[in-house]
Amino acid sequence: MLTEIDIQATLKTKLDVDVEPQVILGACRPQLAHAAMQADPSIAALLPCNVVVRADGAGTVVEAFDPRAMTAMVPQSSAGLREIAADARTRLRGALETVENA
């Protein structure tokens, strides 16, 4: 699933402020999100789906939340949830490396 929030446009509309171009991409893989919520329904609030793309001077920065952090926030996280986070991290890392090498 892919969603997009244009931070620059939203802040201009809501606050009439100008900021550098920045978007938040919701890049959850539905299968992983579902599996994580099956392992722990409360994890929905922590799903590591966001990727931020923002201007930085003359360049562009792409950043993402490390999915393993969600298991650190849930002390009783199961082995299944840790495996899902590791899988998500591997996939996300591969996507970021592809962008970096492009």
Side-chain angles (χ1 to χ4, degrees), residues 2-4 39 47-48 53 56 58-59 71-72 77 101:
L2 186 64
T3 59
E4 182 178 326
L47 285 176
V53 181
D56 185 28
T71 60
S77 60
N101 295 327

Side-chain angles (χ1 to χ4, degrees), residues 28-102:
C28 282
R29 186 163 193 263
Q31 296 87 340
L32 290 178
H34 180 255
M37 290 186 296
Q38 294 289 72
D40 184 345
S42 298
I43 208 69
L46 299 175
L47 285 176
C49 302
N50 290 339
V51 174
V52 175
V53 181
R54 63 182 172 83
D56 185 28
T60 302
V61 175
V62 179
E63 301 170 309
F65 183 77
D66 184 341
R68 293 180 306 177
M70 76 176 173
T71 60
M73 296 172 143
V74 181
Q76 73 283 5
S77 60
S78 66
L81 188 57
R82 289 189 297 275
E83 288 175 23
I84 294 162
D87 184 11
R89 183 177 195 273
T90 299
R91 293 171 187 274
L92 188 56
R93 189 178 203 170
L96 291 173
E97 287 173 359
T98 299
V99 169
E100 184 179 3
N101 295 327

